[in-house]
Amino acid sequence: MTTPPAGPAPADPAKPTPPWIFLFLDFPFGAAVGYLSLGVPFWMERRGFSIEAIAAVAAGANLAHAFKLLWIPVLDLGAYRKIWYLAMAATTAALLAVISALPDPLANLPLFAALLTALQAAATTGHAANNALMATTTRFADKGKVGGFAMASNVGSTGLLGAVAILVSDAISPRAAGLTLAALVLVGAAFALRIVEPRLVDPAVRAAHGLARATARHLAAMLRDLWSTVRSREGFTGLVICLAPVGCQAMSNLFTGISEQYGASARLVGMANGVGGGIASAVGALLGGVLADRMSRRVAYAASGGLTALCAVAMAAAPMTEWTYAWGTFTYLFAGGIAFATWAGMVLEMVGLSAATATKYALFNASANLAISYVTAADGLGGAWLHRTLGIAEARGVLLTDAALTLGGIAVLLAMLLVTRRPAPAARPS
């Protein structure tokens, strides 16, 4: 049984949100990410686009997750997270519908890429609002259950809804796939209507007597807190680790884009990356959570990154068959789930508790998402270069590039680990 920390017990909301509701609230996020990371590469490969083009589109749209730190702090002003969540869910559904209404999205790649970026921006903003609702509308004793439901929604909906996009597009059309996801987004988001958010006035707003002045004060306090964290040894090395390609699992954005080279059918692609991949990621995340509490979280993160590299190398060395595609995708996503959980444990350890805890978490999260974007792009470029220069199949080249970048990131992490373990300089006597 969870016990509250020493001191005054945390105050529970008057009308706490049932934990099970959060099993559905990441549907908008999962639909947007699944559409981008599973559906889009699958359709682009079938239309003859190169792996470089596929990686560039995925990496560019994913930048929205990295730059969200520019606007996410606004969500902390006042008790409007539920409104933010519902508005962003509606925007996510609308963007999916707009993309589906285009006669041929892939015929105008710049417009398609811009809409995909907007889709990710809306989804990641709604996801941040959902995280805030978890923190402010649930009972202290339910935090563990809330986290479990939220993780299942996050990891599971990405794979499952991405699989729905592929399977519906194969059976009917990509337009039907986008509209189906838009409907599921609205169904999942509707559960938020049951949430009763405490109507608390932000102290900054009360003291500033105005939203504009409160925003300026809030951002100033945030920057001071961020600077204090970043300039500390733990914070600076942690930021470098997040920016390094350790556990990015960037291949999850490209697996559907190399499926044709393995002769994988649409059904297999949907199952391997969707239902099967979602389950594998969830199980891996649960295992990673246990590891993160049993050993150094930075070491655990390095080990999980090494496991993803090993999976990529094994898949690259194996025959290019449907069976290889199935087990390779499954094991990589399982290892990626471990990396996801150990990364989260490492970051939670660093941010601690302060007025800007959520914003600091967003900083590390944005840094990790930036790493995912540049590694996705680099995987595509490296795979194409190895194919042109050495005649290696593009799929194998992408996997080998991903493994090499991951190993380089692990080297950076280990170097940062040595830095943090080095004794701090002794103060000079006055």
Side-chain angles (χ1 to χ4, degrees):
M1 179 177 179
T2 303
T3 56
D12 287 333
K15 295 183 179 180
T17 303
W20 63 265
I21 284 181
F22 293 97
L23 183 61
F24 301 95
L25 297 192
D26 252 343
F27 273 27
F29 185 79
V33 176
Y35 188 86
L36 173 67
S37 61
L38 275 68
V40 171
F42 179 79
W43 298 321
M44 289 184 69
E45 187 193 30
R46 262 51 178 182
R47 285 283 293 272
F49 285 90
S50 68
I51 192 64
E52 290 174 283
I54 295 171
V57 169
N62 267 312
L63 284 175
H65 299 282
F67 286 102
K68 64 183 177 182
L69 189 63
L70 296 176
W71 64 86
I72 291 300
V74 177
L75 273 63
D76 286 333
L77 294 172
Y80 305 105
R81 282 92 172 203
K82 178 178 172 180
I83 295 175
W84 274 105
Y85 173 80
L86 292 171
M88 290 302 103
T91 303
T92 299
L95 285 167
L96 284 167
V98 168
I99 293 172
S100 301
L102 296 176
D104 183 6
L106 293 177
N108 188 342
L109 206 55
L111 175 61
F112 187 42
L115 288 172
L116 288 173
T117 303
L119 177 67
Q120 300 308 305
T124 199
T125 304
H127 176 67
N130 180 39
N131 289 338
L133 289 171
M134 286 192 293
T136 59
T137 71
T138 59
R139 297 191 311 145
F140 177 82
D142 290 337
K143 296 300 184 186
K145 292 190 286 290
V146 170
F149 281 119
M151 178 180 290
S153 181
N154 187 322
V155 178
S157 66
T158 298
L160 182 60
L161 297 182
V164 167
I166 291 175
L167 296 176
V168 172
S169 69
D170 187 57
I172 306 176
S173 68
R175 173 174 295 178
L179 294 175
T180 299
L181 290 189
L184 291 172
V185 163
L186 295 177
V187 169
F191 284 90
L193 294 173
R194 285 197 54 178
I195 295 177
V196 178
E197 187 175 6
R199 305 309 298 171
L200 302 175
V201 178
D202 191 305
V205 175
R206 184 187 295 112
H209 304 292
L211 184 60
R213 188 178 298 176
T215 301
R217 290 187 180 183
H218 179 76
L219 291 177
M222 179 199 74
L223 290 173
R224 287 194 297 270
D225 200 1
L226 284 178
W227 176 244
S228 176
T229 298
V230 170
R231 71 178 182 178
S232 69
R233 182 184 294 185
E234 285 285 337
F236 173 75
T237 56
L239 192 60
V240 172
I241 290 170
C242 289
L243 288 167
V246 180
C248 295
Q249 50 175 315
M251 280 303 304
S252 62
N253 293 321
L254 299 174
F255 273 132
T256 60
I258 62 173
S259 59
E260 197 169 60
Q261 297 181 53
Y262 287 87
S265 65
R267 182 173 296 275
L268 175 60
V269 173
M271 290 300 295
N273 293 278
V275 179
I279 293 173
S281 297
V283 172
L286 293 174
L287 176 59
V290 174
L291 291 176
D293 284 338
R294 300 286 182 88
M295 60 190 295
S296 163
R297 294 182 174 95
R298 295 190 177 196
V299 173
Y301 184 47
S304 62
L307 187 57
T308 65
L310 182 62
C311 292
V313 170
M315 186 175 178
M320 297 184 70
T321 64
E322 279 192 315
W323 169 240
T324 296
Y325 184 83
W327 68 253
T329 301
F330 188 87
T331 56
Y332 184 95
L333 293 175
F334 170 75
I338 299 175
F340 177 87
T342 53
W343 174 87
M346 176 187 71
V347 171
L348 287 171
E349 180 183 289
M350 287 188 292
V351 298
L353 294 174
S354 72
T357 293
T359 303
K360 288 190 288 185
Y361 189 96
L363 171 65
F364 290 111
N365 183 252
S367 300
N369 279 301
L370 181 60
I372 292 172
S373 291
Y374 79 70
V375 173
T376 299
D379 282 354
L381 292 171
W385 181 81
L386 288 173
H387 175 67
R388 289 193 301 266
T389 58
L390 301 179
I392 297 174
E394 279 192 341
R396 286 192 167 118
V398 169
L399 288 161
L400 291 174
T401 301
D402 189 75
L405 290 170
T406 299
L407 293 176
I410 292 172
V412 172
L413 187 155
L414 295 177
M416 294 300 99
L417 190 61
L418 291 175
V419 169
T420 56
R421 287 188 173 182
R422 185 183 306 158
R428 294 183 178 179
S430 56

